[in-house]
Structure formats: C-alpha cells, structure tokens
Amino acid sequence: MTDPRLAAHRADIDRLKEQVAALHAYLPRYELVVWTAGNVSARVPGTDLMVIKPSGVEFEDLTADTMVVTDLQGRVVEGDHSPSSDTASHAFVYAHLPHVGGVVHTHSTYATAWSARRQPIPCCTTMQADEFGGDIPVGPLALIGDEQIGRGIVDTLASSRSKAVLMANHGPFTVGTDARDAVKVAVMLEEVARCVHLSSQLGEPIRLDQDMVDALFDRYQNVYGQRKAAS
C-alpha cells in the first residue's frame, strides 16, 4: 500500500528529489568527496520524511529517480535503492532539530584531518566568524549505521553556533536551513579548515577576540547579502 504522505506532499517530494540529486554535484566539484563517500539529504517540509542519496551509487549516476525517501526512523517510504549508510544519523538530526532542513556529510580532506586530531578548528579568520560564529566543534567518536552519530551531532551543536561538527576520527557533518544551505556550509568548512591548517604551518594562528567574532557573526547573519523588501 502506498504511503498516504507521498500523495499529500508529492510536489515537494519531487522538487526535493531533483534538488538533492543536483546538489550532490557540488561535492566532487569542490573536492569534498572521493568515490561515493558523501551524502546530502533534505527534510520534506511539514512531514516526518526526508530525501537522501542511495547507498554506494556513484555521483555521476545520481538522478531524481535514484533518490530515496525515508521517514525519520530511517525506514524507506519510496525508492528502488537502499538509502545511505548515514540515513539514521540524518534522521536523528531532523527528528531533534526542527529548524534544520538539510544535512550534508563528507570526508573532505582538511576538515577530516582536524577530526582525526579530535581538535576544534580555532576561530582565526573573519570568514569563520561570519559563517560559524566561533570554533568548529568536535563531536564524539561513534559507530556508523545507527543513531549514535546523529545524537553526537545534536548534542555537540547544542552548545555551539556552528552549523558544522567534526565527528571524531570520522569527518564533518553540516546542517542548514535547507539542503543547499548545508552544502554551502560544507564548502565553507573545508576552506576554513584548509586556511587554518596552512596558517598553523607558519606558526601559531592568532585567534579573533570574542567581541570581534560576535560582531562579525551578527553582521553576516543579519546584514550581509540581499534582503527581501518589506511588502
């Protein structure tokens, strides 16, 4: 029997399948993944459903038709493929962070290198202050395949303004208001990780003062970019 949620939200689901499939192209483009090791997902608005990449399918073969719809317990609701091995992690994040509309996981080189050291990325650049509001935190070491990683992400973000978590000895997870935002955060994270690493090769990077971090974060989040005119 077809799940009634599919018919009720058909337009949103189909739109998100197209979007999530297309967004995966950004991961190899910005050198955030190798082979099939990465995934993007999106919450279906107003539901307990999400759209996520299938497991083990190469990026150039991803289409809207290969995307998988699951509920927030990770059970497949629609799709011909098994969902990503990180499905339980994404689902846990959506179930516990209602403001999150997109989740991305990669093994991008520099961010993963920081996670292998279990060391937060210190806030030493204005770009990092703008985008992340401080240090990039490290989450706990957790097994892949169940909700442990998702729980670590949620618990770590509870005490941080960051939209990124470096899961210890694993790699980065990023969240956003939607899937595109989460991909942007993943791209920015890798650039920040690379810059701070390179700086550390020249000496000890200089941290920004907290007042400066707060001011930059507020400006970027509330002033920077285009704003919709009041109607």
Side-chain angles (χ1 to χ4, degrees):
M1 181 178 178
T2 302
D3 191 304
R5 293 171 294 185
L6 296 174
H9 298 274
R10 186 77 267 164
D12 277 340
I13 291 170
D14 289 346
R15 173 181 60 83
L16 288 172
K17 283 183 174 182
E18 293 280 356
Q19 182 189 53
V20 171
L23 284 170
H24 278 90
Y26 285 90
L27 305 189
R29 181 181 305 168
Y30 286 95
E31 300 183 346
L32 304 184
V33 297
V34 294
W35 204 239
T36 64
N39 40 71
V40 179
S41 72
R43 183 198 297 272
V44 179
T47 76
D48 60 349
L49 301 175
M50 67 180 193
V51 175
I52 193 166
K53 171 184 175 286
S55 178
V57 177
E58 296 185 33
F59 282 84
E60 57 265 33
D61 296 328
L62 294 176
T63 66
D65 290 339
T66 62
M67 295 298 107
V68 184
V69 180
T70 77
D71 63 19
L72 299 190
Q73 287 73 49
R75 296 179 294 234
V76 174
V77 176
E78 181 176 73
D80 298 326
H81 296 77
S82 298
S84 166
S85 60
D86 292 302
T87 295
S89 303
H90 290 241
F92 191 93
V93 172
Y94 291 126
H96 292 82
L97 297 178
H99 64 282
V100 169
V103 178
V104 173
H105 172 48
T106 76
H107 297 276
S108 59
T109 302
Y110 286 89
T112 301
W114 284 91
S115 77
R117 296 179 65 189
R118 301 190 188 183
Q119 181 179 348
I121 302 174
C123 191
C124 304
T125 68
T126 59
M127 176 187 285
Q128 185 171 342
D130 286 344
E131 187 68 42
F132 300 98
D135 293 1
I136 311 298
V138 176
L141 179 64
L143 290 175
I144 301 170
D146 61 21
E147 67 181 31
Q148 289 185 52
I149 291 174
R151 186 180 300 278
I153 294 167
V154 170
D155 291 347
T156 303
L157 290 181
S159 58
S160 174
R161 293 189 295 202
S162 176
K163 290 183 178 181
V165 178
L166 306 175
M167 293 302 289
N169 302 94
H170 184 172
F173 283 78
T174 62
V175 301
T177 55
D178 56 24
R180 182 178 179 82
D181 184 38
V183 170
K184 176 211 171 189
V185 176
V187 173
M188 301 293 279
L189 169 63
E190 181 64 2
E191 179 64 8
V192 164
R194 185 177 71 91
C195 286
V196 179
H197 167 75
L198 293 175
S199 175
S200 70
Q201 306 311 295
L202 303 173
E204 187 67 24
I206 307 297
R207 281 182 173 273
L208 294 174
D209 292 337
Q210 189 61 48
D211 287 347
M212 176 65 75
V213 173
D214 292 342
L216 288 165
F217 184 72
D218 178 70
R219 179 198 67 88
Y220 187 74
Q221 300 298 322
N222 299 302
V223 178
Y224 177 81
Q226 301 300 311
R227 303 294 171 198
K228 292 182 179 179
S231 57

